[in-house]
């Protein structure tokens, strides 16, 4: 089955710096790659996603890149703010309607 | 985006009792919903796939007789933790697909004393 690896497990940056989180997946059939932000005691919130027919997607300060050949995808957050502090999860699935397989998460801390 | 709700948000129960958690899709219909469990400082682990009108599909290692799932309508799936024990204490989260995106509920914190 699918296996998703996520790095780093923790990331500390200064406000205004960029943050990058990387994930790799094992199943070449995976074609949907979302990123979720989870705050303490809450459910995951989708922040951006990408599908295999796209190499990069951007939404304001957040961008995701996908390299299908290498089977890895990355989350980029620019101009980080304290409110970006949370746990971020990457995930993968082979098709819409199926379960997501999650990475182990990255705890991002943005200090002001 | 679509909204998934859960009830209750938190529950405390005594060991040996059963607890029911509801998951609802508020503005869309979901023939399939997913139940995840998350222990502190860990990732989400898929427990089971809930299918409307048919039996749930459980992941390896998840006891189907302990975690009863009922998907009685296109907007409601329930997870019942039977004979709960302290090791069942966890954060339970449901999700469903809408518009080719998977949306998660706010989670239910279960504490078994």
């Amino acid at each position: 089955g699918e296996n998703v690896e996520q790095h780093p497990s923790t990331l500390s940056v200064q406000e205004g710096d960029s943050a990058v989180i990387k994930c790799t997946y094992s199943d070449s059939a995976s074609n949907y790659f979302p990123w979720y932000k989870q705050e303490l005691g809450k459910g995951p919130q989708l922040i951006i996603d990408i599908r295999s027919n796209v190499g990069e997607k951007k939404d304001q300060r957040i961008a995701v890149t996908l390299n299908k050949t290498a089977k890895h995808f990355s989350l980029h957050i620019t101009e980080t703010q304290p409110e970006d502090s949370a746990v971020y999860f990457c995930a993968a699935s082979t098709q819409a309607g199926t379960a997501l397989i999650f990475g182990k998460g990255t705890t991002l801390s943005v200090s002001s | 985006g679509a909204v998934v709700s859960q009830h209750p948000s938190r529950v405390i129960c005594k060991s040996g009792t059963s607890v029911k958690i509801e998951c609802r899709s508020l503005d869309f219909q979901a023939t399939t919903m997913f139940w995840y469990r998350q222990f502190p400082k860990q990732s989400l682990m898929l427990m089971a796939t809930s299918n409307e009108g048919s039996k749930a599909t459980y992941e390896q290692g998840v006891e189907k007789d302990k975690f009863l799932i009922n998907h009685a309508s296109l907007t409601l799936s329930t997870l019942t933790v039977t004979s709960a024990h302290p090791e069942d204490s966890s954060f339970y989260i449901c999700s469903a697909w809408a518009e080719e995106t998977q949306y998660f509920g706010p989670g239910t914190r279960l504490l078994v004393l």
Side-chain angles (χ1 to χ4, degrees):
Chain A
E2 175 66 279
N3 182 51
V4 178
E5 299 282 341
Q6 183 172 347
H7 299 279
S9 57
T10 61
L11 180 59
S12 296
V13 299
Q14 291 286 321
E15 182 177 4
D17 288 350
S18 294
V20 180
I21 304 171
K22 299 182 179 181
C23 287
T24 59
Y25 60 98
S26 60
D27 189 346
S28 57
S30 291
N31 59 11
Y32 177 64
F33 309 93
W35 286 89
Y36 290 87
K37 175 183 181 183
Q38 187 179 30
E39 297 178 336
L40 192 62
K42 297 183 179 181
Q45 294 290 315
L46 179 73
I47 56 172
I48 196 167
D49 58 9
I50 192 167
R51 289 177 168 80
S52 60
N53 57 344
V54 176
E56 183 174 358
K57 183 177 179 180
K58 189 173 182 180
D59 182 4
Q60 299 183 339
R61 298 187 295 111
I62 296 173
V64 57
T65 59
L66 171 65
N67 183 328
K68 284 220 74 181
T69 302
K71 290 192 279 190
H72 67 69
F73 55 112
S74 300
L75 177 71
H76 304 253
I77 305 174
T78 59
E79 300 172 29
T80 54
Q81 301 166 3
E83 50 266 38
D84 293 330
S85 297
V87 180
Y88 291 81
F89 291 98
C90 63
S93 75
T94 54
Q95 62 183 50
T98 61
L100 293 173
I101 303 302
F102 284 84
K104 294 195 173 188
T106 297
T107 300
L108 174 64
S109 299
V110 181
S111 54
S112 56
Chain B
V3 178
V4 177
S5 71
Q6 282 183 242
H7 178 80
S9 58
R10 60 185 65 188
V11 56
I12 301 173
C13 69
K14 293 182 178 179
S15 184
T17 61
S18 294
V19 174
K20 180 185 285 188
I21 302 170
E22 293 185 347
C23 176
R24 294 182 184 273
S25 55
L26 295 188
D27 48 1
F28 65 101
Q29 294 182 332
T31 56
T32 301
M33 292 183 174
F34 303 95
W35 287 96
Y36 292 83
R37 179 168 53 183
Q38 185 178 33
F39 292 108
K41 298 188 184 300
Q42 293 189 23
S43 187
L44 286 78
M45 295 300 294
L46 179 67
M47 297 176 65
T49 301
S50 173
N51 303 298
E52 188 269 335
S54 64
K55 292 183 178 181
T57 305
Y58 292 82
E59 295 300 299
Q60 191 172 9
V62 178
E63 300 175 57
K64 62 180 181 180
D65 294 331
K66 180 171 184 61
F67 298 99
L68 302 179
I69 292 174
N70 186 352
H71 196 147
S73 77
L74 289 172
T75 59
L76 173 64
S77 174
T78 60
L79 169 67
T80 301
V81 183
T82 63
S83 186
H85 289 99
E87 57 265 31
D88 298 322
S89 299
S90 190
F91 194 49
Y92 292 85
I93 313 171
C94 67
S95 70
W97 284 87
E99 303 163 354
E100 297 191 329
T101 299
Q102 189 164 144
Y103 293 93
F104 286 82
T108 297
R109 175 75 59 191
L110 171 62
L111 177 61
V112 184
L113 301 178

